Amino acid sequence: MKVFILVFIACSLIIFVIIEGKILYTATYEKPLSSDVIIVLGAHLWGDQPSPLLRYRLDQAISLYRQGYAKSIIVSGAQGDDELTTEAYAMAVYLGRHNIPKDIIYLEENSYSTYENMKYSKEIMDREGLERAIIVTNTFHVYRALEIGKHFSIPVSGAPAKMHPSVLLKLKYYIREFFAVVKFYLMKN
């Protein structure tokens, strides 16, 4: 029984190191490629305003748009129980305040998860004839977002947005992301 427990612990640690390695590698080295659209994944709102993590994502999207990486932006996220509007609408307002033209912003307001973000964004892409996408999310989240994008047959690259400066928050998000990646792998098969 002890041998079984030791083998289980060893295998679990190996899996953790491999997946966390992929998450950290992608967060560090992933670079955006010229595409048709930038997809900004939703994150929590404070009332009707983007939280700091979401502002980092939006600022990254603004920078990419201004550098000419893509001509369209999809903002993706529904309305949470404690939010005053959809994440997509709040993101579109933020982009508008930063002089991003309204006519290039597509709102995806039905998603409550990263999986749904990509599923419903793909529907918008198909409808609008958009093929390649840059996914913008915070560093810890890029690997899984790219894997889900590939699951939906979207040619994707990532543009990691910065993280909150708190080391404890970073640790929390990176560890939590390990479990989210495992869940995605288990559910997609």
Side-chain angles (χ1 to χ4, degrees):
M1 186 64 169
K2 285 182 182 180
V3 171
F4 174 77
I5 292 171
L6 290 174
V7 169
F8 176 78
I9 291 171
C11 289
S12 298
L13 284 173
I14 290 168
I15 291 168
F16 179 81
V17 168
I18 290 169
I19 291 175
E20 277 299 330
K22 289 181 178 188
I23 293 168
L24 290 166
Y25 182 87
T26 304
T28 305
Y29 295 107
E30 181 67 20
K31 300 291 182 228
L33 300 174
S34 183
S35 296
D36 301 309
V37 66
I38 299 164
I39 301 173
V40 186
L41 302 184
H44 194 70
L45 299 178
W46 290 357
D48 63 352
Q49 299 298 309
S51 63
L53 285 180
L54 186 51
R55 283 197 311 270
Y56 298 150
R57 296 176 188 191
L58 291 164
D59 291 342
Q60 177 74 305
I62 291 166
S63 175
L64 292 168
Y65 175 77
R66 289 183 178 155
Q67 292 175 61
Y69 275 93
K71 295 182 181 191
S72 301
I73 299 174
I74 296 172
V75 286
S76 180
Q79 181 175 354
D81 293 337
D82 60 345
E83 297 173 334
L84 300 178
T85 187
T86 66
E87 293 168 3
Y89 180 78
M91 289 190 279
V93 169
Y94 185 94
L95 293 173
R97 285 198 309 259
H98 289 83
N99 301 314
I100 303 298
K102 287 181 182 181
D103 62 334
I104 63 100
I105 302 171
Y106 298 95
L107 277 69
E108 184 289 294
E109 300 178 285
N110 299 309
S111 57
Y112 290 93
S113 68
T114 306
Y115 188 88
E116 290 180 352
N117 287 142
M118 298 313 302
K119 176 183 177 185
Y120 297 133
S121 292
K122 171 77 164 123
E123 290 176 4
I124 292 171
M125 291 176 67
D126 290 345
R127 183 185 74 222
E128 298 298 325
L130 304 167
E131 294 181 16
R132 298 188 61 82
I134 299 169
I135 301 174
V136 176
T137 189
N138 304 100
T139 56
F140 69 91
H141 191 215
V142 174
Y143 175 74
R144 179 165 53 105
L146 291 174
E147 290 296 300
I148 295 171
K150 292 171 191 170
H151 174 75
F152 285 107
S153 301
I154 304 171
V156 290
S157 62
K162 69 180 185 177
M163 276 291 297
H164 193 279
S166 165
V167 174
L168 288 178
L169 272 178
K170 285 180 188 177
L171 185 62
K172 171 188 160 186
Y173 282 117
Y174 276 97
I175 290 173
R176 189 179 79 179
E177 191 63 15
F178 163 78
F179 294 102
V181 169
V182 169
K183 179 181 174 185
F184 168 67
Y185 283 150
L186 292 174
M187 290 179 66
K188 79 173 190 165
N189 293 325

